[in-house]
Amino acid sequence: MGTLRGPAAALAACAVMSACGVSQDNDHATTTSPAAAEETINPWDLPIEQRPALFDPCAEIPIEAVEQGVGGPVEKVEEYTRHQPGGLMVCGWSSDEVDLSVLATWKSRDDYLGDAMFEVLDPRYEVMGRPGLRVVESDDLSEKTCIQMLFTDRGTVWTKLDLFGAFHEFKGERFTDPCDSLDEAMGPIVASLPKGDYQ
């Protein structure tokens, strides 16, 4: 079998290396650099209809992670469930001490910051190294709820914890701060949440 020579050899080398490119006027060969690789697109810059599918907490958070987070068995609360792809996805679980719900939407950080329904506790609060927005509901006079929002590549994912009872018990301890309880509950759940920390 003969060897390839001239242009045929050059084409074969390009096919093997997969790094050759040709300028539009075909004058000379160029090398594709890593900088020319596809740029990462911020999904929040796209029209709603072109964004990735919203995170689905019912399908993507194992109940075992929720139970580990709250320290005991939970039941899925069907009344909390919303399944509106592109608009709103919600799932909730309940134990004897707490309700925990996870919601996904494309409502932005600025929208939440300007929403009178929420009081901002910390605009850059981190949970497990994930920066987000820590808020409480403005009408929560009993101080039994806390919400952490993460702005991900599959929407705003917010996790809400609601303590039951007059004693605000969590894992058997009384007078627990709901935000401290939320931090603890989110620990095992964060691994299931979508990536991307958009501010």
Side-chain angles (χ1 to χ4, degrees), residues 56-59 61 63 66 70 74-82 89-95 98-103 158-160:
D56 183 349
C58 285
I61 299 178
I63 193 169
V66 178
V70 303
V74 297
E75 292 184 1
K76 184 179 173 184
V77 183
E78 294 299 336
E79 304 93 87
Y80 296 168
T81 303
R82 299 289 181 274
M89 304 291 280
V90 188
C91 201
W93 304 266
S94 183
S95 74
V98 300
D99 269 350
L100 184 77
S101 56
V102 180
L103 175 154
W158 65 301
T159 306
K160 175 184 176 183

Side-chain angles (χ1 to χ4, degrees), residues 15-193:
V16 171
M17 296 180 65
S18 300
C20 292
V22 179
S23 64
Q24 287 193 342
D25 58 6
N26 293 328
D27 283 344
H28 59 278
T30 59
T31 302
T32 304
S33 67
E38 184 177 341
E39 293 183 14
T40 302
I41 297 174
N42 182 342
W44 291 87
D45 292 337
L46 298 172
I48 290 280
E49 63 275 7
Q50 295 178 20
R51 295 179 187 180
L54 278 175
F55 177 67
D56 183 349
C58 285
E60 301 181 62
I61 299 178
I63 193 169
E64 294 81 6
V66 178
E67 291 179 332
Q68 183 182 349
V70 303
V74 297
E75 292 184 1
K76 184 179 173 184
V77 183
E78 294 299 336
E79 304 93 87
Y80 296 168
T81 303
R82 299 289 181 274
H83 191 270
Q84 302 165 4
L88 182 67
M89 304 291 280
V90 188
C91 201
W93 304 266
S94 183
S95 74
D96 292 338
E97 296 180 338
V98 300
D99 269 350
L100 184 77
S101 56
V102 180
L103 175 154
T105 177
W106 283 112
K107 185 173 177 178
S108 71
R109 169 187 286 275
D110 287 344
D111 288 338
Y112 279 113
L113 287 173
D115 192 331
M117 289 181 60
F118 301 101
E119 177 186 340
V120 176
L121 298 182
D122 189 333
R124 293 287 183 271
Y125 192 84
E126 290 192 10
V127 174
M128 304 295 290
R130 300 284 304 272
L133 177 62
R134 173 59 55 89
V135 303
V136 293
E137 294 173 326
S138 299
D139 61 358
D140 179 21
L141 302 178
S142 61
E143 299 182 346
K144 63 182 184 139
T145 66
C146 190
I147 300 169
Q148 177 71 15
M149 300 180 185
L150 301 178
F151 301 90
T152 79
D153 56 11
R154 292 179 60 201
T156 297
V157 177
W158 65 301
T159 306
K160 175 184 176 183
L161 182 136
D162 187 339
L163 294 172
F164 289 154
F167 296 113
H168 293 190
E169 291 187 358
F170 182 70
K171 296 187 177 180
E173 297 182 13
R174 293 187 172 187
F175 303 105
T176 301
D177 183 303
C179 288
D180 290 342
S181 301
L182 177 60
D183 286 346
E184 192 170 343
M186 285 189 70
I189 295 171
V190 167
S192 300
L193 303 183

